[in-house]
């Protein structure tokens, strides 16, 4: 059982809003550490970029999260955590509108499977549902969401490098 893992990954992100259109690919990097035989802590960052309107609008999204994963069986994990979700809308020309950046907090629940390949490498297949803070609805940490309808989900495939 690896004490520390570095996990670069590729993922697919899709909104649960039926009018949102297609999902988007993203890249990520996680650092996971076993803190007890049945519990791991993880810090992760994901990045996604896409362009619209003939490359006149670029949207950049950074997701930074911290998770606790229960590992009752070493190959399976489940849990959740909190995250900071930063999105920048960057216009090629700022003549009419200024760039806009939003920062929101969110919760996530998910899990995955860790498949060992060698003593130092493994595949990590994970998924999570993300619940984003609504304007004036969620006041952390004293008030939790009133309904648990996820805003989007992410599925990812990573290569776990074990130390």
């Amino acid at each position: 059982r690896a004490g520390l893992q570095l996990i670069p990954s590729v993922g697919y992100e899709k909104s649960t809003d039926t009018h949102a259109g297609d999902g988007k690919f993203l890249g990520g990097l996680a650092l996971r550490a076993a803190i007890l035989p049945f519990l791991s802590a993880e810090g992760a960052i994901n990045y996604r970029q896409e362009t619209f309107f003939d490359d006149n609008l670029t949207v950049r999204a950074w997701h930074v999260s911290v998770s606790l994963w229960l590992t009752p069986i070493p190959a399976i994990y489940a849990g959740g955590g909190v995250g900071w979700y930063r999105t920048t809308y960057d216009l090629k020309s700022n003549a009419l509108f200024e760039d806009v950046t939003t920062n929101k907090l969110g919760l996530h629940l998910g899990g995955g499977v860790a498949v060992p390949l060698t003593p130092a490498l493994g595949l990590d297949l994970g998924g999570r549902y993300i619940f984003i803070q609504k304007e004036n609805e969620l006041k952390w940490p004293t008030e939790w969401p009133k309904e648990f309808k996820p805003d989007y989900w992410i599925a990812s495939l990573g290569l776990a490098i074990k130390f």
Side-chain angles (χ1 to χ4, degrees):
R1 183 166 173 94
L4 187 64
Q5 299 177 56
L6 183 65
I7 309 168
S9 66
V10 293
Y12 186 76
E13 174 182 279
K14 177 90 169 88
S15 173
T16 58
D17 181 354
T18 57
H19 304 291
D22 294 335
K24 305 295 180 227
F25 287 96
L26 58 114
L29 185 64
L31 185 62
R32 188 178 299 158
I35 54 178
L36 292 172
F38 58 88
L39 185 67
S40 294
E42 177 184 279
I45 186 165
N46 289 311
Y47 178 76
R48 171 179 57 80
Q49 179 176 312
E50 55 190 310
T51 58
F52 300 94
F53 309 114
D54 295 325
D55 295 335
N56 286 305
L57 172 64
T58 302
V59 178
R60 293 178 182 88
W62 295 90
H63 309 161
V64 179
S65 63
V66 177
S67 309
L68 286 177
W69 300 118
L70 291 172
T71 53
I73 301 170
I76 297 173
Y77 61 90
V82 297
W84 170 56
Y85 301 88
R86 180 182 178 94
T87 305
T88 299
Y89 303 89
D90 185 14
L91 296 166
K92 188 178 264 185
S93 169
N94 291 347
L96 297 175
F97 302 100
E98 291 186 23
D99 295 346
V100 174
T101 298
T102 63
N103 293 287
K104 294 189 176 189
L105 295 175
L107 298 173
H108 61 270
L109 298 172
V113 177
V115 180
L117 298 175
T118 71
L121 292 175
L123 286 179
D124 188 89
L125 178 61
R128 60 177 69 182
Y129 285 104
I130 289 92
F131 306 85
I132 298 292
Q133 171 186 4
K134 306 295 186 269
E135 295 301 321
N136 301 319
E137 179 183 306
L138 182 62
K139 297 173 180 65
W140 284 35
T142 59
E143 186 178 324
W144 294 95
K146 292 176 181 46
E147 77 175 29
F148 279 91
K149 179 186 174 296
D151 294 284
Y152 62 94
W153 55 265
I154 294 176
S156 63
L157 176 63
L159 181 65
I161 304 163
K162 304 169 186 180
F163 298 96

